[in-house]
Amino acid sequence: MKCALVTGGSRGIGRAICLKMVDMGYYVLVNYKGNEAEANNTLDLVKQKGGGGELLKFDVSDKNGVQNVLGAWIESNPDNIIEVLVNNAGIREDTLMMWMKDEQWENVIDTNLGGFFYVTRLVLGGMLSRKYGRIINIVSLSGLKGVPGQTNYSAAKAGIIGATKALGQEIGRMGITVNAVAPGFIKTDMTKDMNEKELVSMIPVKRFGLPEEVAHAVGFLASPESSYITAAVLSVNGGLYS
């Protein structure tokens, strides 16, 4: 059985990506940290589309938790191939750097950047042995240009972009591509506290994006047809680059 693992798959962009993976014929592993109700809602939507899937509860920033849950699943499912990995789990704790607490820096770096490392390292072995895989990392406009008040988040996402480019070059000859998708302002829980009316004036297409538009880009990079694209960053931002 060919599987797609989506971290942070319970809501927003993650949920839209899970549903896109179903459309592409994958059995979907929906990772979530704590919101079991929303994770079950995502799994219900997967099944309503005629797809299959299951929930994997672990905190991507906890390397022992990743090993205990995801590692155990891989070990007990030797015939089920994780062919697509989407590193989507992430958090924001915004404040100006002069007021930023140690834990605000550590939480954001550990979840966004550390989570990418712990999950990808674990899944990579199976992809290398089969000489095929698609790794897509959800980054951010913040990681490309930097955003005031998001020093921690910008640093974490920029770090993943650098890792995407390096890893893509490391394993390109093995039939595995590694790319990043950088959303701009997307209508999700993470942007609900932002002033949309004020921000759309900066966006050339004059609106926030939809999770499904990000998922469509992820679907392309997860497809066999994208095999000559690796170590790249695809922006889904309505033309907002500066």
Side-chain angles (χ1 to χ4, degrees):
M1 187 162 57
K2 293 181 178 180
C3 305
L5 168 61
V6 182
T7 68
S10 65
R11 296 179 293 168
I13 290 172
R15 174 179 288 171
I17 293 169
C18 287
L19 299 179
K20 183 65 177 178
M21 293 299 105
V22 172
D23 290 341
M24 295 175 67
Y26 284 104
Y27 181 88
V28 183
L29 304 175
V30 183
N31 160 255
Y32 71 104
K33 178 182 175 182
N35 196 330
E36 191 164 349
E38 289 297 336
N40 276 307
N41 286 341
T42 298
L43 189 58
D44 287 344
L45 290 169
V46 164
K47 292 176 178 177
Q48 286 171 28
K49 289 175 77 74
E54 62 187 275
L55 303 180
L56 290 180
K57 181 180 180 179
F58 60 86
D59 179 351
V60 298
S61 71
D62 176 5
K63 63 182 175 183
N64 293 321
V66 172
Q67 181 63 52
N68 291 339
V69 178
L70 179 57
W73 187 94
I74 292 170
E75 192 173 323
S76 61
N77 291 272
D79 297 326
N80 295 341
I81 306 161
I82 298 180
E83 198 171 86
V84 175
L85 167 62
V86 183
N87 287 302
N88 172 69
I91 61 168
R92 278 176 39 220
E93 293 190 28
D94 297 352
T95 189
L96 295 176
M97 190 173 186
M98 63 184 292
W99 294 320
M100 189 174 290
K101 298 181 172 69
D102 288 355
E103 55 267 29
Q104 289 176 304
W105 175 266
E106 291 161 1
N107 290 344
V108 172
I109 296 293
D110 291 349
T111 298
N112 291 280
L113 186 55
F116 152 79
F117 173 68
Y118 298 134
V119 174
T120 304
R121 180 176 59 176
L122 196 54
V123 172
L124 198 52
M127 291 182 174
L128 287 168
S129 67
R130 296 177 181 91
K131 292 189 164 78
Y132 183 84
R134 296 286 182 266
I135 299 170
I136 300 102
N137 303 314
I138 307 303
V139 290
S140 172
L141 180 66
S142 297
L144 290 170
K145 78 181 200 70
V147 172
Q150 291 189 340
T151 308
N152 48 4
Y153 190 68
S154 296
K157 293 300 189 179
I160 298 172
I161 290 170
T164 297
K165 292 174 181 289
L167 183 60
Q169 293 174 73
E170 284 182 17
I171 60 178
R173 68 185 183 283
M174 302 298 292
I176 304 165
T177 64
V178 188
N179 292 291
V181 172
F185 293 112
I186 308 296
K187 283 180 176 288
T188 67
D189 289 346
M190 283 187 80
T191 58
K192 68 183 179 183
D193 58 340
M194 294 181 176
N195 188 333
E196 185 175 347
K197 274 187 178 177
E198 184 179 302
L199 290 168
V200 293
S201 64
M202 306 186 313
I203 304 169
V205 302
K206 301 304 177 191
R207 65 176 178 86
F208 275 21
L210 300 175
E212 292 76 15
E213 292 173 307
V214 179
H216 184 72
V218 172
F220 167 65
L221 292 173
S223 71
E225 291 80 9
S226 67
S227 61
Y228 202 58
I229 302 170
T230 197
V233 182
L234 174 59
S235 291
V236 183
N237 61 19
L240 179 63
Y241 287 96
S242 61

